[in-house]
Amino acid sequence: MLKMTDWDRLGRLINDLHTLTGVKFALLDENAHEIYTSSFRTPFCQLIAEAGDKRCQECDARALRDARKSRSACRYLCHAGLYEVALPVLDNGRPVAAIVFGQMLDDAPREEQWRRVREQCAWYPDPDALYAAFLRLKRLSSPQINACAEIVTACISEVRYYGLSAGTQRDDAALLEEYINAHFMERVTLDTLCRALSMGKTRLCGLCAQRFGLPPIRLLNRRRMDAAMEMLSTTDRSVRFVAQAVGIPDENYFIKVFKKTTGLTPTAYRRQRAVQQR
């Protein structure tokens, strides 16, 4: 019989795997409800869920049934065209839960995968916003995906099918970073961060100063600039599009923040990176 301490241990281990890989891991109960998650939804999956959460729930339920039936890891494409893996958690030989990880792409050409995703998400009303979020998805090779599945299986065995403890505590600074990583593409304010972390402005500002040496909004903008630099280096999207994709709808403000961060305008940065990559 699984104990609460077992669930607690497994929860911490999949959180460690998320820290190492950047991939979201989640424990699902027998009804496909998340009872523990190592991370927030990716921005892509957040958009999909907000427009049609029932599709996500039905997809998770099918994955859980398949994993329970096969009693082994099941790799599949979700309804939105992303790769996921479901592994059953057994208690005395009976499937009682599942660990699902994914919301990711494999190492096939990105535009080839976008065609698949675009076709499966043809119902989504804003393809440009979806594409911007798609570009931020984590990519793993097939060997890496298989390795993750093997490690999850080993973790389940090592802790005798540990599971979730509702009281599991995580570091506030780590949780703040997770939230920013998941939501920087959205309209995020100081009040948004306070609500997400259930803390007051004074405590949040003190936490950021102590752990990051930055005010909360500068920490948020630093993450946005990291994403902007990658998009400018790997796509030919306009500066206006990149600005909106990283959560700054004001193009002039985006250029100001970008130049303050990098010392270059977005156009000059893209030109410089193009020369370096030749």
Side-chain angles (χ1 to χ4, degrees):
M1 178 66 67
L2 300 183
K3 305 182 295 294
M4 289 301 293
T5 53
D6 297 329
W7 293 116
D8 178 44
R9 171 68 174 160
L10 186 53
R12 291 198 301 272
L13 285 173
I14 65 173
N15 192 62
D16 289 342
L17 283 173
H18 164 70
T19 301
L20 286 170
T21 64
V23 173
K24 177 182 176 179
F25 292 80
L27 266 170
L28 305 183
D29 66 15
E30 293 179 282
N31 297 311
H33 297 142
E34 282 189 355
I35 55 174
Y36 180 87
T37 177
S38 66
S39 175
F40 300 97
R41 281 187 175 120
T42 63
F44 179 94
C45 291
Q46 185 66 33
L47 291 176
I48 293 294
E50 288 173 353
D53 190 56
K54 187 177 179 181
R55 293 181 175 92
C56 298
Q57 294 173 354
E58 291 173 348
C59 186
D60 285 344
R62 283 196 299 272
L64 186 62
R65 287 196 298 269
D66 290 344
R68 204 159 41 208
K69 183 177 180 180
S70 68
R71 296 178 178 248
S72 61
C74 297
R75 178 177 170 181
Y76 62 97
L77 285 170
C78 76
H79 72 96
L82 306 187
Y83 283 102
E84 298 200 327
V85 177
L87 301 98
V89 177
L90 306 178
D91 186 9
N92 293 325
R94 183 176 68 88
V96 294
I99 294 178
V100 176
F101 69 90
Q103 299 186 2
M104 61 193 174
L105 305 174
D106 66 7
D107 54 355
R110 193 183 292 272
E111 288 305 312
E112 176 184 309
Q113 298 192 72
W114 168 242
R115 287 193 291 272
R116 177 188 70 231
V117 169
R118 182 177 56 189
E119 180 178 340
Q120 293 192 220
C121 299
W123 56 271
Y124 190 78
D126 189 348
D128 283 343
L130 200 63
Y131 181 67
F134 168 84
L135 292 175
R136 304 301 309 152
L137 288 168
K138 183 77 175 178
R139 298 178 72 189
L140 267 66
S141 66
S142 290
Q144 288 174 319
I145 293 173
N146 292 337
C148 283
E150 289 291 334
I151 292 170
V152 171
T153 300
C155 288
I156 294 172
S157 299
E158 191 273 329
V159 299
R160 295 186 180 181
Y161 316 124
Y162 272 47
L164 176 67
S165 167
T168 296
Q169 298 296 316
R170 288 188 291 175
D171 181 82
D172 284 337
L175 187 57
L176 173 61
E177 283 191 297
E178 285 184 17
Y179 185 86
I180 288 176
N181 285 336
H183 296 279
F184 70 87
M185 301 170 77
E186 305 166 14
R187 184 178 181 275
V188 177
T189 65
L190 187 60
D191 287 335
T192 305
L193 295 174
C194 288
R195 286 194 299 271
L197 274 74
S198 300
M199 65 174 64
K201 293 181 181 178
T202 300
R203 183 183 168 199
L204 177 61
C205 291
L207 172 70
C208 287
Q210 180 182 9
R211 296 293 293 273
F212 305 106
L214 293 171
I217 298 305
R218 283 186 60 189
L219 180 66
L220 169 67
N221 281 339
R222 186 175 70 179
R223 179 65 183 88
R224 286 169 165 167
M225 294 308 102
D226 288 344
M229 285 186 279
E230 183 174 342
M231 289 184 68
L232 289 166
S233 300
T234 59
T235 76
D236 60 358
R237 290 287 183 163
S238 69
V239 172
R240 180 184 296 274
F241 180 91
V242 173
Q244 293 175 343
V246 300
I248 303 179
D250 185 332
E251 183 179 357
N252 290 330
Y253 178 66
F254 168 75
I255 293 172
K256 179 181 177 180
V257 175
F258 190 91
K259 188 172 182 180
K260 185 175 181 180
T261 302
T262 66
L264 297 169
T265 65
T267 301
Y269 177 84
R270 170 175 274 162
R271 192 179 302 120
Q272 181 186 82
R273 289 292 294 160
V275 171
Q276 292 172 346
Q277 292 171 1
R278 286 176 186 168

